Amino acid sequence: MSVSGFLPLLLALLPSGQLLASDSGNFSTQPGVGSAGPMPLAMMPENNNDQCDLVMNYSGAERCAFVKRTPDCSMVDGLISYLTLAFCLLPPNLTPLTITLCMIWLLVLFVILGLAASKFFCPNLSAISSTLHLSHNVAGVTFLALGNGAPDIFSAMAAISHPHTAGMAVGALFGAGIFVTTVVAGCVALVKPFPVASRPFLRDVVFYMVAVFWTFLILYRGTTTLGEMLGYLGLYVVYVLTVIISTYIYNRQKNLVTNGVPNLPHIPAEFNSSDSSDEDVPHLTCQTIQQEYESEYRPLLPYSESTSEILLSSLNPVDSRKWRRKSWSWRALKVVKTPLEVLLLLCVPVVDPDKEDKNWRRPLNSLHLITAPLLCVLVFQSGAYGDVMIQGEFPIWLLTLLLGTFLAAIVFCTTTNDHPPKYHPLFALLGFVVSAVLISAAASEVVSLLHMLGVVLSLSNTVLGLTLLAWGNSIGDCFSDITIARQGYPRMAIAACFGGIVFNMLLGVGLGCLLQMYKTHYFMQFESEGLLTWILAGSLGLSLVLSFIIVPLSRFHLGRPYGVFLLVFYSVFLLIALLTEFGEIHT
């Protein structure tokens, strides 16, 4: 899909508004070539600081009034005004309780992000790619990469959309990059030492180093233009083409060797030479995640469920057989996730092309035509359209409800429970759009909540991005990659570590900046948060350079010493970053 094709969709998913101010460590927009005209002086900010950070300098009784009269405190997008909640609705002596509740809500938001991406967004993207008959390589580096990186990308774009939280995007993307390439890769090497595929490893590391260096140059210069952002996104296009072409050449050479040596026994990729390609490794896609909902056994005799039974079984995310086999920790997490999964199942359709019935559930899919559009209206752009009235009399949400009910009645009356209709693949498109809107809304809430925590705890957006936001978005990748390694596919896990973050950085920063320039017609300026930003960028670059040197010197064998080295490197980086944040290290 081209960048121009993505623009209308992602522009709609981002919160509206122009970037008219910048603060330390954040982005701003200024008039550029081709703009409608110079910015009026009345719109220029008086200073570059986030005035809301000063709220902690006031007494507890004065903070609520300060939050209400300060524009910076009400500019962050989100369904909930967390600063008003912290300083106006709850008394000052309950601030520790407020922080505790916000941390719990932050965990819930991360669970929503993970569920929406893994159970709904990613499977529907897989269904769309299957409907379009895309090859595994093209789907893997485009649609499936978007599905796996959706929380990171949407969080970055939500942060970039506001000047006072844009520094969080740099912290999150760089912080997640360091976390994944050190902690996750180190854990994989500790769990199962293995020879890494040389060419894919070097390819991913080189492209990621180029992306990091390019981002560093943009931050160092403090400005970027539309042409540079198009080139920045073009780097990802080059990466995709390199993956496709290199895989084609490798497969062609392998076929020539196989045809030249008859009866050659097949050697599993995990025991092949370190020069093998990604194609030798079985691909785990989002479809494997969705198979959790699939029954393990087929009935011996034909059985036809009633409509009510289909609806109830479709809304039950717990498999009784799997429940009995799993550990207590899995069960505890499932209990927490089940209410959220039920709500998502009510609102987001999922099409599974691997199933015989394509996951067609007539009563639930008919209900989706009511709940899915209504959910989009209520959460789209942080609920901006929830109160919109048509000609001042008819609410738009009611119109959506009536149209959805009409379509649901038509679908329910013209289809059967046993056979999906010909237009069933359109439900994958509906599920993709709804889950994208939901992920965008949850990402905006995460950014707004982290901004409030930064104000209350007097922490910069960069350190919040490289810690809480990066950890929250990457912890799922950590567990999944370690599980894949334990199952005997460490190459796949290490490929996911380096391949996915290339996509996340290039599209997270590139599309976020490009869409803001598209809306405001200004080029963007960047102001770093000083030493912490350079420590972050330098540490990520250093970790990549060291991996680029150490892995070839070890003959592309990732052993436990390398895993220990990566974990120690991340610990030292985190210690230096926190000491810098608290002023112990300074220039």
Side-chain angles (χ1 to χ4, degrees):
M1 184 179 295
S2 65
V3 173
S4 59
F6 255 136
L7 277 176
L9 172 62
L10 293 177
L11 179 61
L13 296 179
L14 283 176
S16 59
Q18 297 182 349
L19 298 182
L20 300 177
S22 70
D23 87 270
S24 178
N26 299 328
F27 307 84
S28 64
T29 53
Q30 299 292 340
V33 178
S35 63
M39 183 184 295
L41 294 177
M43 298 175 62
M44 296 294 292
E46 296 180 0
N47 55 66
N48 290 332
N49 296 323
D50 185 359
Q51 298 297 319
C52 199
D53 291 337
L54 303 176
V55 66
M56 298 306 294
N57 296 335
Y58 291 80
S59 64
E62 298 175 333
R63 290 173 185 172
C64 180
F66 177 84
V67 168
K68 290 182 177 179
R69 71 171 181 265
T70 305
D72 286 344
C73 295
S74 59
M75 289 178 62
V76 179
D77 298 291
L79 294 171
I80 302 173
S81 177
Y82 295 100
L83 289 168
T84 303
L85 174 66
F87 297 114
C88 297
L89 298 182
L90 296 175
N93 58 339
L94 292 181
T95 299
L97 176 61
T98 303
I99 295 176
T100 303
L101 294 176
C102 288
M103 294 299 294
I104 295 175
W105 176 234
L106 182 65
L107 293 177
V108 173
L109 289 174
F110 279 130
V111 172
I112 293 175
L113 279 172
L115 286 175
S118 62
K119 305 289 188 183
F120 301 91
F121 187 74
C122 196
N124 282 314
L125 280 178
S126 299
I128 293 174
S129 64
S130 298
T131 303
L132 297 177
H133 303 290
L134 297 179
S135 66
H136 289 293
N137 286 319
V138 177
V141 296
T142 53
F143 283 111
L144 298 182
L146 176 61
N148 293 331
D152 304 85
I153 295 171
F154 280 99
S155 297
M157 290 192 296
I160 291 177
S161 67
H162 192 276
H164 296 319
T165 58
M168 199 179 296
V170 176
L173 291 173
F174 277 37
I178 298 178
F179 183 83
V180 170
T181 56
T182 56
V183 176
V184 179
C187 290
V188 170
L190 288 175
V191 168
K192 192 174 181 65
F194 65 100
V196 69
S198 59
R199 286 182 292 185
F201 175 81
L202 293 177
R203 175 199 67 207
D204 292 341
V205 171
V206 167
F207 270 96
Y208 194 39
M209 285 194 296
V210 172
V212 171
F213 182 70
W214 197 338
T215 307
F216 173 82
L217 287 180
I218 294 174
L219 293 173
Y220 181 77
R221 291 199 316 267
T223 184
T224 187
T225 61
L226 177 62
E228 185 174 27
M229 278 298 102
L230 290 176
Y232 192 82
L233 290 172
L235 179 62
Y236 179 70
V237 177
V238 175
Y239 173 72
V240 172
L241 293 177
T242 303
V243 172
I244 296 173
I245 294 173
S246 62
T247 303
Y248 171 77
I249 294 175
Y250 175 79
N251 287 335
R252 185 177 180 180
Q253 293 177 346
K254 187 172 66 173
N255 291 334
L256 291 176
V257 173
T258 304
N259 294 333
V261 183
N263 299 325
L264 184 67
H266 175 70
I267 302 176
E270 293 300 323
F271 304 98
N272 208 338
S273 69
S274 63
D275 198 42
S276 59
S277 173
D278 292 335
E279 290 298 300
D280 289 329
V281 185
H283 286 275
L284 288 184
T285 66
C286 302
Q287 297 289 351
T288 60
I289 301 174
Q290 188 63 20
Q291 289 175 357
E292 293 183 4
Y293 290 104
E294 192 172 358
S295 177
E296 296 178 347
Y297 307 103
R298 294 180 180 271
L300 297 177
L301 298 175
Y303 173 70
S304 179
E305 293 181 305
S306 64
T307 300
S308 59
E309 290 175 335
I310 293 176
L311 179 61
L312 292 177
S313 62
S314 302
L315 294 176
N316 180 19
V318 180
D319 189 333
S320 59
R321 289 179 291 269
K322 182 178 294 185
W323 178 271
R324 289 193 294 267
R325 295 198 311 263
K326 294 294 184 177
S327 63
W328 65 268
S329 57
W330 184 93
R331 296 180 185 180
L333 182 60
K334 192 67 175 179
V335 169
V336 175
K337 292 164 57 177
T338 294
L340 298 174
E341 286 189 68
V342 172
L343 291 176
L344 291 174
L345 287 170
L346 275 172
C347 300
V348 187
V350 177
V351 177
D352 189 351
D354 289 343
K355 289 184 177 181
E356 185 177 352
D357 60 356
K358 312 297 183 184
N359 202 40
W360 167 249
R361 301 292 183 266
R362 175 170 163 251
L364 183 59
N365 289 139
S366 299
L367 183 62
H368 284 150
L369 295 175
I370 301 175
T371 58
L374 191 60
L375 177 66
C376 289
V377 170
L378 294 179
V379 304
F380 182 62
Q381 292 190 350
S382 301
Y385 292 87
D387 298 328
V388 172
M389 305 289 288
I390 300 177
Q391 295 183 349
E393 297 181 357
F394 199 77
I396 191 172
W397 65 265
L398 183 56
L399 177 63
T400 304
L401 179 62
L402 294 176
L403 291 177
T405 303
F406 177 72
L407 292 176
I410 293 178
V411 170
F412 188 81
C413 295
T414 58
T415 57
T416 62
N417 292 333
D418 301 326
H419 303 287
K422 294 182 179 180
Y423 52 81
H424 186 222
L426 293 178
F427 280 86
L429 181 61
L430 176 63
F432 161 70
V433 173
V434 177
S435 55
V437 171
L438 185 61
I439 291 173
S440 178
S444 297
E445 293 300 309
V446 169
V447 171
S448 299
L449 182 54
L450 288 177
H451 178 254
M452 185 274 289
L453 291 175
V455 171
V456 174
L457 300 176
S458 299
L459 296 175
S460 67
N461 287 321
T462 300
V463 77
L464 287 172
L466 69 91
T467 53
L468 293 179
L469 188 55
W471 295 339
N473 287 335
S474 304
I475 196 68
D477 296 333
C478 181
F479 287 120
S480 62
D481 289 342
I482 292 174
T483 301
I484 292 172
R486 285 176 174 172
Q487 292 175 349
Y489 303 111
R491 285 187 178 181
M492 187 189 309
I494 208 70
C497 291
F498 288 92
I501 52 180
V502 178
F503 180 89
N504 296 345
M505 174 164 287
L506 291 177
L507 265 71
V509 174
L511 281 180
C513 295
L514 188 63
L515 291 173
Q516 288 304 314
M517 288 187 283
Y518 177 83
K519 291 192 297 184
T520 60
H521 302 289
Y522 302 136
F523 70 88
M524 299 190 68
Q525 289 186 338
F526 304 79
E527 295 183 10
S528 71
E529 291 194 3
L531 183 60
L532 183 59
T533 300
W534 308 128
I535 290 176
L536 186 58
S539 299
L540 178 56
L542 180 61
S543 69
L544 293 174
V545 171
L546 291 177
S547 295
F548 186 76
I549 296 174
I550 294 175
V551 174
L553 289 178
S554 60
R555 297 183 179 181
F556 294 96
H557 181 82
L558 301 188
R560 289 187 172 88
Y562 177 73
V564 173
F565 163 75
L566 291 179
L567 295 177
V568 171
F569 183 92
Y570 183 79
S571 301
V572 173
F573 151 73
L574 190 61
L575 178 62
I576 294 175
L578 293 178
L579 290 176
T580 304
E581 172 67 17
F582 295 118
E584 298 297 327
I585 299 178
H586 52 80
T587 56

